[in-house]
Amino acid sequence: MRRLLIWLPLGMFLVFLVVFAGGLIKPEGRVIPSKLVGKPMPAFALAPALPGKPGLSSAELANGQPHLVNVFASWCVPCIAEAPQLRQLAEAGVPVYGIAIRDRPEDLQRFIERNGDPFRAIGGDPNSSVQIALGSAGVPETFIVDGKGIIRKQHIGAINPEDVPGIMSALGDAK
Amino acid sequence: MVAALLLAFATPVLADSLMPAAKYADEQLADPAKEHQAKVLMETIRCLVCQGQSIADSNAEMAGDMRALIRTRIEAGEKPEAIRAWLIERYGDWVSFKPPLDGLTWPLYLLPALFLGLGLWIVSGRLKRRRKS
Amino acid sequence: MIAEAGLAALWLAAALAALQLVLGWMGVSSQRTDLLAAVRPVAVVQAVLAGISFVTLIWLFVTVDLSVALVAANNASTKPLLYKFAGTWGNHEGSMLMWVTILAVAGGAVALFERRLNERTLIATLSAQAAIGLGFYAFLLFASNPFARLNPAPAEGQGLNPLLQDPGLAFHPPTLYLGYVGLSVAFSFAVGALVTRDVGAAFARAMRPWVLGAWILLTLGITAGSYWAYYELGWGGWWFWDPVENASLMPWLAATALLHSVTVLATREGLRAWTVMLAVVAFSMSMVGTFLVRSGILTSVHAFAVDPRRGTFILALLAIYIGGALALFGFRVGTVREGSRFDAVSREGSLVINNLLLSAILGIVLVGTLYPLVAEAVTGEKLSVGPPYFNSAAGPLALILVAIMAAGPIMRWRRDDLKATLTRLAGPMLLSALVLLAVVLLAPGIGILPLLGLVAAAGVGVASIAPLWGRNLRRTPLYIWGMVVAHLGIAVSMAGMAAESAFTRETLVAGRIGEEHRVGPYSVRLDDVQPIAGPNYTAIEGTVVARRGNGAPFTLHPQTRNFPSPQTETNEAAITTLLDGQLYVVVGRSDDEGRWQLRLWWKPFVTLIWLGGALVAFGGLLSLIGRVRREMRHAPPRETI
């Protein structure tokens, strides 16, 4: 027994060493994915974020067609970077819906004028409540939702040009 | 270690919006009992943007919005643990600083007892031997 | 030229460390006295060379030699002299050089002044110290050369992050480093004693001042760090159980346990193997702490400049030193004689329980900190372990620990009577009962941990003075005073934590200029908010007038600062310290309607937390002075506490 106790510290240390080495190879991830992927879109109804453009509600989204829900904001810098890709997707016929986080109409108007408007509708989420209900941890994030209203995929961060094919194929799968 | 240590506590400004904080982000509930419930819950919910802090002591806007959400729901009569469960449903166990007791975390809860037990066993073994001689 | 001279000195110091290791190794194994005799001077010269190298770097910083890459990246000619100076260790390379210099100087000091330990054990100790030094020299020379040149030299340096320009921060890191190095000396002593199978009272007495010194510095470092978090974060919290905080707490817990077990070894020749083990654990905790904050494997509140390559290097050193020491422990400890016997109810018995509880708390903190990492690696699920877990797992153990702390010092060595001990504690226990009654009656509904904390603090506070009862105070040895003051400090700190947790009053409002708000016994009015410009930031500054009842009003000036590069916002809380607590005021942003966010806290007796910490460190200092004086007076000394 005493022999076992004597070697116990070294054994424990080796276990910790493995943990440390594992941590170096794969540090604690910084990205917090939504747990709603694979589950239905939560129910919400957001007022229009821009005058003259429709708002967004979960009921309207459940129309049998796969679509993208883009969580964005005019004050978010990476959102500017992903704007061309969203336009490209919209031009390819993908329905793109926007949820504008903590935004004011005048700022949003300027953002749309400068970066184009790929959105069929934009709901304003002034206190991030729908964002939180979606399990989204920041802007921009894009949810790929199928025709039955099930969230199929979550893209965290800006959509870069190389991400577009993947999103297109995910949309194809979501049919 | 040092240089970095010195950077501590600086909250990076993550391109904040121009909107003011939501009601109840930085305002208390009128009922002290409910505010206390909300406060206790907020201290155990992890801020999504700043990562290391609880939403009760974070300057991030999203933390403010989560505080507002929690206060609003508590005000409406919801139980704190129901709100925690609702958040975990969306963000996973990561969002709660209080690890649940389940198949993944039982070692964590067994640990204190295990350490004490092992220690007491070693000590008591020695004392007995001593008493005999 | 100067930079090259510094680099040359560093290379020479590294070569001497290698020589010191080899000479010591050969001397100890062959018992050749000429080899043994050569080690001490080598250690001293190595210390001098490392010192020259570090002074060279300071010189380069103070004179702002921009042809040196490190200086150009971290310094600017416009900086105040103090920060040019402190900037030397305000970066990775400089801080590593400082680390290794302190290590070498500590080794030199051991070589110069340690005269009572068996010569072979001492040389083995110096060899172990050289081995540690060698690893860090290699780290510096191959992976982070502080003297690398920049060609062409820039016209101006990039300056130091404005947040680093704080006098407290300039001296906080060296404090922690000195603490870590002190533990490395204790580690070397343990390795030396294992190598020569010489684990006894002389070894314990030689190691004790180093442990004590390291522990004092770690106590100061943690106390200062906690206060810093309290005023800088702007939400009134003082401890977050954050990985980086835990990284500094773990060596302290191990050093505290070691401090107590080394006393048992020095006085009663007991706990031999355990003390050696703890010395290894204490240093490994400093290295684990350094690794955790440097490698970035955990997410922390504290935004750290991390680099996985450096993490790998530190991990390799950790594996070599600690793995090697533990393997040596496994092979050798079987031959270490068992210590003297003692009864469960005795001073030794209480110290054993102290060690047991401290180790359990250490284990909880370590595993709790690392658990998310393991869980994610094994299952891919992310989870968080935070304050609720640590408080409920470690809190009760800490309470028992503090209760034992009241009994231990008044118990006799070897064997005592439980009844007699309890009789001696009758006064403190009565006081505890009274406090319990008073708190339950006057402040019903406070949490169970704060309640027990207040009760224990009162009883333990009185009990900690008990060792002085019936003594001639002027003839009481200094180290007894040290123990009394340190234990009292723990009680004081605990009272502060419990009071803060139980009685804090919080008011969060969006208020207009001129409105009155209440927080605890105070009425607080925001009189004005003005934009101001600092040297490298812009800020808004509030003028807040507070007043207690009909007392005289006083003014506070909280700020919210915006630093342009890197873009950072900090809350500078305005804190007014009163005899019975602190008023803590933060002004945040304004809303559309011209209302300002105000965060107000009244925190009764919160200052006791850090006052207690300072008392603990002061007690340690008294004890250290007492021990060292005693050692110098009686050689060889006889222990009779």
Side-chain angles (χ1 to χ4, degrees):
Chain A
M1 211 64 232
R2 186 173 149 89
R3 285 192 70 93
L4 198 76
L5 274 181
I6 284 170
W7 291 102
L8 183 69
L10 184 62
M12 276 164 58
F13 175 71
L14 291 178
V15 171
F16 281 116
L17 214 54
V18 170
V19 172
F20 293 145
L24 270 183
I25 296 162
K26 192 174 165 290
E28 204 186 3
R30 260 63 167 173
V31 176
I32 305 117
S34 169
K35 290 277 162 186
L36 289 188
V37 175
K39 294 193 180 143
M41 197 79 183
F44 64 88
L46 288 175
L50 274 178
K53 199 160 174 88
L56 196 62
S57 75
S58 47
E60 288 161 46
L61 286 176
N63 56 6
Q65 210 186 356
H67 53 269
L68 296 182
V69 176
N70 181 238
V71 181
F72 77 109
S74 68
W75 43 266
C76 138
V77 181
C79 297
I80 299 170
E82 73 170 1
Q85 283 69 253
L86 280 179
R87 279 203 311 273
Q88 187 191 336
L89 284 161
E91 279 156 21
V94 177
V96 180
Y97 298 92
I99 295 179
I101 307 299
R102 301 185 67 83
D103 239 325
R104 300 185 301 191
E106 59 270 30
D107 300 326
L108 198 54
Q109 189 64 49
R110 258 200 307 279
F111 180 83
I112 296 282
E113 277 160 20
R114 220 172 276 167
N115 302 297
D117 181 6
F119 303 109
R120 297 205 175 172
I122 305 177
D125 190 8
N127 53 13
S128 316
S129 58
V130 172
Q131 185 185 24
I132 296 170
L134 274 169
S136 154
V139 275
E141 281 186 15
T142 306
F143 291 86
I144 298 168
V145 187
D146 71 11
K148 295 191 202 98
I150 310 284
I151 299 171
R152 300 292 285 264
K153 215 174 155 217
Q154 178 193 23
H155 182 93
I156 296 171
I159 298 173
N160 297 317
E162 62 270 23
D163 298 327
V164 173
I167 287 176
M168 287 302 281
S169 76
L171 278 163
D173 296 343
K175 280 223 167 85
Chain B
M1 168 170 166
V2 186
L5 222 162
L6 304 179
L7 295 175
F9 303 124
T11 323
V13 179
L14 299 142
D16 278 347
S17 75
L18 298 162
M19 295 262 285
K23 181 169 168 63
Y24 285 143
D26 298 289
E27 271 171 74
Q28 289 158 303
L29 295 171
D31 178 355
K34 286 190 168 172
E35 171 64 22
H36 179 72
Q37 280 188 337
K39 172 94 182 159
V40 170
L41 177 62
M42 291 184 303
E43 278 169 352
T44 65
I45 297 297
R46 191 165 180 172
C47 168
L48 292 158
V49 197
C50 24
Q51 303 225 345
Q53 286 155 293
S54 81
I55 58 168
D57 43 31
S58 165
N59 284 335
E61 284 191 329
M62 192 162 184
D65 285 340
M66 287 175 84
R67 288 196 295 271
L69 180 130
I70 285 177
R71 284 204 176 98
T72 311
R73 289 183 164 218
I74 295 262
E75 174 80 338
E78 206 169 325
K79 289 272 167 294
E81 286 314 303
I83 303 172
R84 186 197 302 280
W86 186 87
L87 284 168
I88 289 175
E89 212 177 290
R90 273 144 186 87
Y91 294 104
D93 287 329
W94 188 89
V95 80
S96 166
F97 269 127
K98 192 159 127 192
L101 180 54
D102 61 18
L104 183 60
T105 54
W106 61 265
L108 209 48
Y109 286 91
L110 203 63
L111 207 70
L114 194 76
F115 281 137
L116 276 185
L118 184 72
L120 281 176
W121 176 68
I122 296 173
V123 172
S124 69
R126 304 220 150 177
L127 287 176
K128 255 182 237 152
R129 218 181 310 153
R130 292 204 162 93
R131 226 168 263 151
K132 249 183 259 162
S133 53
Chain C
M1 256 330 276
I2 293 177
E4 281 69 30
L7 187 59
L10 193 59
W11 272 105
L12 274 177
L16 282 181
L19 182 67
Q20 183 179 333
L21 174 62
V22 173
L23 279 182
W25 180 281
M26 286 163 52
V28 169
S29 49
S30 70
Q31 309 232 30
R32 275 178 53 188
T33 45
D34 54 334
L35 290 178
L36 290 176
V39 174
R40 281 187 197 248
V42 171
V44 174
V45 178
Q46 185 215 330
V48 171
L49 283 168
I52 288 174
S53 179
F54 186 54
V55 170
T56 308
L57 190 66
I58 293 178
W59 176 259
L60 292 172
F61 264 83
V62 170
T63 58
V64 197
D65 184 339
L66 294 169
S67 68
V68 174
L70 189 67
V71 179
N74 294 288
N75 206 355
S77 53
T78 51
K79 265 196 333 189
L81 184 65
L82 172 71
Y83 298 118
K84 286 178 184 165
F85 179 69
T88 314
W89 55 82
N91 56 76
H92 168 75
E93 287 83 353
S95 63
M96 288 315 296
L97 182 58
M98 177 183 219
W99 210 108
V100 80
T101 303
I102 298 171
L103 191 73
V105 169
V110 172
L112 275 179
F113 300 116
E114 183 54 52
R115 293 285 166 206
R116 280 151 298 128
L117 197 59
N118 172 319
E119 187 67 8
R120 272 183 75 224
T121 307
L122 178 74
I123 300 304
T125 301
L126 287 176
S127 280
Q129 190 75 356
I132 299 174
L134 210 51
F136 285 95
Y137 284 123
F139 191 13
L140 273 168
L141 291 168
F142 299 122
S144 28
N145 176 7
F147 296 106
R149 290 280 190 183
L150 197 62
N151 195 14
E156 179 55 291
Q158 292 165 17
L160 182 70
N161 186 316
L163 292 165
L164 312 194
Q165 300 193 19
D166 179 312
L169 303 195
F171 294 98
H172 175 65
T175 313
L176 279 180
Y177 272 18
L178 280 163
Y180 288 173
V181 170
L183 291 180
S184 86
V185 178
F187 170 86
S188 300
F189 272 115
V191 171
L194 275 177
V195 166
T196 58
R197 296 183 174 85
D198 186 21
V199 184
F203 147 73
R205 276 196 287 267
M207 182 167 85
R208 180 158 56 189
W210 294 97
V211 178
L212 204 46
W215 179 78
I216 294 166
L217 292 162
L218 291 176
T219 307
L220 281 177
I222 292 174
T223 307
S226 160
Y227 191 71
W228 174 34
Y230 171 76
Y231 79 72
E232 193 64 43
L233 266 182
W235 290 86
W238 54 273
W239 191 261
F240 300 89
W241 292 109
D242 178 85
V244 167
E245 292 175 348
N246 294 350
S248 71
L249 181 65
M250 289 188 290
W252 184 85
L253 287 169
T256 311
L258 178 58
L259 191 63
H260 289 90
S261 81
V262 84
T263 302
V264 177
L265 183 52
T267 315
R268 302 285 318 152
E269 297 260 359
L271 303 185
R272 290 165 194 264
W274 176 246
T275 302
V276 170
M277 182 70 231
L278 268 183
V280 174
V281 169
F283 178 55
S284 61
M285 285 306 144
S286 336
M287 285 201 66
V288 165
T290 311
F291 170 73
L292 286 183
V293 296
R294 271 285 174 208
S295 64
I297 65 170
L298 294 167
T299 322
S300 159
V301 181
H302 310 244
F304 267 83
V306 293
D307 182 342
R309 256 199 7 251
R310 289 168 185 165
T312 312
F313 211 107
I314 298 172
L315 187 63
L317 293 181
L318 182 76
I320 296 168
Y321 297 145
I322 309 304
L326 289 176
L328 183 68
F329 178 85
F331 286 118
R332 282 293 160 84
V333 84
T335 60
V336 170
R337 281 183 299 120
E338 285 239 352
S340 320
R341 301 182 172 120
F342 55 85
D343 201 77
V345 181
S346 65
R347 176 83 68 93
E348 292 99 313
S350 70
L351 286 168
V352 166
I353 297 174
N354 149 304
N355 269 235
L356 182 63
L357 290 168
L358 280 167
S359 309
I361 295 173
L362 173 62
I364 288 168
V365 175
L366 181 63
V367 175
T369 307
L370 293 174
Y371 205 82
L373 201 64
V374 181
E376 194 178 343
V378 173
T379 65
E381 281 298 304
K382 297 169 71 69
L383 64 88
S384 301
V385 178
Y389 172 76
F390 289 112
N391 286 339
S392 58
L397 296 187
L399 272 173
I400 303 172
L401 180 64
V402 169
I404 297 289
M405 190 185 87
I410 56 165
M411 290 171 107
R412 290 196 195 91
W413 291 103
R414 289 193 65 185
R415 169 167 293 185
D416 204 338
D417 183 50
L418 190 60
K419 235 189 226 163
T421 309
L422 289 178
T423 314
R424 271 172 259 158
L425 283 174
M429 287 196 291
L430 190 67
L431 182 71
S432 284
L434 287 177
V435 170
L436 178 67
L437 198 67
V439 176
V440 169
L441 287 179
L442 297 177
I446 71 172
I448 183 81
L449 270 185
L451 173 67
L452 291 177
L454 284 173
V455 169
V460 169
V462 175
S464 62
I465 307 170
L468 295 178
W469 290 345
R471 271 180 183 269
N472 179 341
L473 290 186
R474 297 192 52 188
R475 298 191 55 189
T476 302
L478 211 48
Y479 58 81
I480 301 265
W481 277 105
M483 176 186 73
V484 166
V485 171
H487 284 184
L488 186 64
I490 296 277
V492 167
S493 194
M494 189 152 181
M497 294 174 197
E500 194 268 350
S501 155
F503 304 126
T504 291
R505 293 286 170 269
E506 176 182 63
T507 300
L508 311 171
V509 284
R512 288 176 206 289
I513 305 279
E515 273 178 10
E516 289 258 344
H517 305 283
R518 292 204 61 83
V519 55
Y522 287 87
S523 59
V524 177
R525 192 178 68 235
L526 179 64
D527 264 6
D528 192 17
V529 179
Q530 287 294 332
I532 57 166
N536 43 21
Y537 58 85
T538 58
I540 52 142
E541 182 177 274
T543 302
V544 174
V545 179
R547 144 180 236 179
R548 183 182 205 153
N550 292 320
F554 53 92
T555 309
L556 299 96
H557 291 288
Q559 292 183 356
T560 293
R561 288 185 187 165
N562 251 299
F563 292 87
S565 74
Q567 238 232 329
T568 318
E569 188 182 277
T570 61
N571 287 128
E572 302 291 314
I575 300 173
T576 298
T577 305
L578 298 128
L579 269 182
D580 58 346
Q582 287 188 327
L583 185 67
Y584 188 115
V585 176
V586 177
V587 171
R589 299 182 198 172
S590 64
D591 64 11
D592 301 348
E593 301 159 39
R595 298 185 308 170
W596 293 89
Q597 274 171 28
L598 272 177
R599 306 203 292 263
L600 313 169
W601 284 276
W602 165 238
K603 292 180 170 287
F605 301 107
V606 66
T607 23
L608 294 184
I609 297 173
W610 308 290
L611 183 69
L615 270 180
V616 172
F618 180 63
L621 186 66
L622 287 181
S623 190
L624 181 63
I625 295 170
R627 292 287 180 200
V628 170
R629 270 185 22 199
R630 191 182 159 89
E631 301 276 300
M632 296 207 296
R633 223 177 286 149
H634 320 269
R638 253 191 74 75
E639 289 285 336
T640 46
I641 316 180

